[in-house]
Amino acid sequence: MFAGKTASEIFNNIRQHIASGSLSAGDSLPPVRELAATLNVNRNTVAAAYKRLVVSGLAESLGRNGTVIKGAQYPVALEGNHLRTPLSDLSGGNPAPDRLPDTRRYFAKISTTPRLYGDDAVSPGLQAWAQAWMHQAMPGAGAIDVTSGAIDATERLLFAHLLPGDSVAVEDPCFLSSINTLRYAGFTPCPVGVDSQGMQPEALEQALSKGARAVILTPRAHNPTGCSLSAPRAAALQQVLAQYPHVLVIVDDHFALLSSSPWHPVIPPQTRHWAIVRSLSKTLGPDLRLAIVASDPATSTKLRLRLNSGSQWVSHILQDLAYACLSDHEYLQELARTRQYYAAQQQKFITALAKHGLEFSPGDGLNFWLPLNRESQTAAFMLAKAGWLVREGEAFGVNTPAHGLRITLSTLNDKEISKLAADIHQALIH
């Protein structure tokens, strides 16, 4: 069935079998030694062909269990509202539109000087603001860069240090875009459990001991659960990471400007390559999406190889608009009120649930996570009958489904919060 004398020929032959349908998802390829003997080639030749199949996403290595053909890539769950639904949509994870800045006020402050190829990638005003903002969070000397959001930053950082197929430790359940980015890029997500205090140190230690080469963790307002690192938990994670100084550590502090939780440093001084990513999309809105990235000098240099050319930098008009907002005293006062508003939404919802005998601790961020001990479809259907569209939690699981509901609270008024709590109670007792 198989043919070829070089790694490239063997790869193309197997690829053709996949395309023709003679090899299907889940089919096992022959052991390397066996196929090498059949084709009368060196085992390293077959191993190289198999590695290329894995890197290309056509096959999956199961270690001692061999190499199997992967299935087709089907559409995955994405963030965002269902615009055509007649239900009250609490599934999108979006900020409250009326809490975003009125950008019309700031266009007059944007520079009219054209920025050309070869110019600095970061606008001077935003650079100075970001340096002051990120200084206390950095574990050592670092540099500032700007990317098109947290996911763009994460993807660039991983490609700067890792190879396709490398294992990346991530929280489980995990932010949908993070899961999708890892899978599309060919990295292997390694699930690390979370609880009310954030990522669990013992589970992280296990992932790192098994060879994870990078860690992505959320210090505050974890999506989907809303948990934030406590000071003891951050210290415990720091101790674990200190034992693996070669591992890339990415801290996704996406809710930094709006969080009601304190910042606890988690990156130890021993870590050689690190990055702190702070997105502005929840603060300024998804259409003003950019992220400030503070990283060690070597990592920053790798980022700038792609960002400084001009073809992939973040628009300076966008940067100037963000800086105009963030340097406006009136907007900063409104930002403080928005921070209080989101914290109040969490507390109001917790109080409303408690009236029905449902006891939870308030989280942080735009969403509330309702854990379930069974599949979420039934509860989600009951809430849909009551007029609510919520996000079923299974898609947030890394390797196994996460049973729960993620409910976006950002746009609810007090009456709606009370009704939602009552409807959740009814959904859970059926």
Side-chain angles (χ1 to χ4, degrees):
M1 178 179 183
F2 299 105
K5 291 296 183 181
T6 67
S8 181
E9 289 174 351
I10 297 170
F11 167 83
N12 287 325
N13 177 258
I14 296 174
R15 183 181 183 185
Q16 183 58 39
H17 284 302
I18 296 171
S20 68
S22 58
L23 279 176
S24 304
D27 287 347
S28 295
L29 294 174
V32 170
R33 183 189 299 271
E34 178 183 317
L35 185 57
T38 301
L39 300 178
N40 195 26
V41 299
N42 190 284
R43 283 179 293 173
N44 291 338
T45 302
V46 176
Y50 281 11
K51 183 176 181 179
R52 185 176 174 190
L53 288 166
V54 171
V55 170
S56 301
L58 298 174
E60 180 180 7
S61 175
L62 301 179
R64 294 182 179 179
N65 293 322
T67 303
V68 300
I69 303 303
K70 290 184 70 173
Q73 296 295 318
Y74 297 102
V76 295
L78 300 173
E79 287 286 9
N81 293 104
H82 298 262
L83 298 179
R84 297 179 181 177
T85 179
L87 305 176
S88 179
D89 193 347
L90 310 181
S91 68
N94 277 308
D98 60 356
R99 294 283 167 176
L100 300 177
D102 182 357
T103 55
R104 294 172 298 180
R105 296 182 51 208
Y106 302 104
F107 282 111
K109 298 182 179 181
I110 295 176
S111 172
T112 58
T113 303
R115 268 62 65 96
L116 304 174
Y117 296 125
D119 285 357
D120 290 337
V122 184
S123 294
L126 187 61
Q127 170 78 39
W129 182 89
Q131 186 70 48
W133 183 39
M134 302 290 280
H135 176 71
Q136 294 297 325
M138 293 190 286
I144 298 295
D145 297 288
V146 174
T147 64
S148 297
I151 293 302
D152 179 50
T154 298
E155 185 173 1
R156 291 178 187 272
L157 290 163
L158 292 174
F159 274 116
H161 288 286
L162 274 60
L163 297 174
D166 282 344
S167 177
V168 179
V170 294
E171 292 139 338
D172 188 22
C174 186
F175 181 44
L176 291 177
S177 295
S178 296
I179 300 175
N180 295 338
T181 296
L182 291 173
R183 290 173 176 163
Y184 286 149
F187 299 112
T188 302
C190 181
V192 178
V194 299
D195 57 26
S196 61
Q197 298 184 64
M199 182 178 274
Q200 297 173 336
E202 298 81 4
L204 175 60
E205 167 68 39
Q206 186 176 20
L208 295 176
S209 67
K210 291 183 177 179
R213 301 192 64 83
V215 179
I216 305 172
L217 63 87
T218 311
R220 300 183 279 195
H222 171 254
N223 191 343
T225 69
C227 67
S228 298
L229 292 178
S230 64
R233 177 60 56 85
L237 291 171
Q238 199 174 72
Q239 289 181 350
V240 172
L241 292 170
Q243 301 174 47
Y244 299 88
H246 62 283
V247 168
L248 170 66
V249 180
I250 302 174
V251 178
D252 181 8
D253 194 20
H254 70 103
F255 208 60
L257 283 172
L258 294 170
S259 177
S260 58
S261 302
W263 164 264
H264 298 300
V266 71
I267 304 174
Q270 295 93 329
T271 297
R272 298 170 190 168
H273 299 297
W274 53 267
I276 301 168
V277 182
R278 287 178 169 172
S279 170
L280 302 182
S281 63
K282 300 296 192 302
T283 306
L284 304 181
D287 211 33
L288 276 177
R289 181 181 62 257
L290 57 82
I292 309 298
V293 183
S295 62
D296 65 90
T299 296
S300 176
T301 297
K302 292 183 178 183
L303 284 176
R304 292 179 185 185
L305 288 175
R306 294 180 64 191
L307 291 171
N308 271 349
S309 66
S311 60
Q312 295 195 48
W313 66 22
V314 175
S315 162
H316 287 80
I317 295 175
L318 188 66
Q319 293 186 47
D320 290 346
L321 191 57
Y323 175 64
C325 294
L326 296 169
S327 59
D328 176 45
H329 179 69
E330 183 176 337
Y331 173 69
L332 292 180
Q333 290 181 321
E334 183 61 33
L335 185 63
R337 289 190 287 269
T338 298
R339 186 182 306 114
Q340 295 170 355
Y341 168 78
Y342 287 136
Q345 290 292 95
Q346 291 277 345
Q347 189 57 59
K348 288 177 182 179
F349 191 53
I350 294 300
T351 301
L353 289 171
K355 293 179 180 178
H356 299 277
L358 301 173
E359 299 292 338
F360 296 96
S361 298
D364 192 8
L366 306 177
N367 308 298
F368 173 80
W369 177 256
L370 179 68
L372 300 173
N373 56 13
R374 61 184 185 275
E375 291 185 359
S376 63
Q377 186 176 19
T378 300
F381 178 71
M382 293 293 295
L383 288 173
K385 290 177 64 177
W388 309 103
L389 178 65
V390 298
R391 174 75 74 166
E392 296 177 23
E394 280 70 18
F396 295 96
V398 177
N399 291 335
T400 58
H403 298 316
L405 299 175
R406 194 197 69 177
I407 303 168
T408 302
L409 304 176
S410 55
T411 60
L412 294 175
N413 59 38
D414 292 357
K415 183 178 179 180
E416 290 169 330
I417 286 176
S418 296
K419 182 180 185 303
L420 175 60
D423 290 338
I424 286 176
H425 175 248
Q426 288 299 313
L428 295 182
I429 63 178
H430 278 78

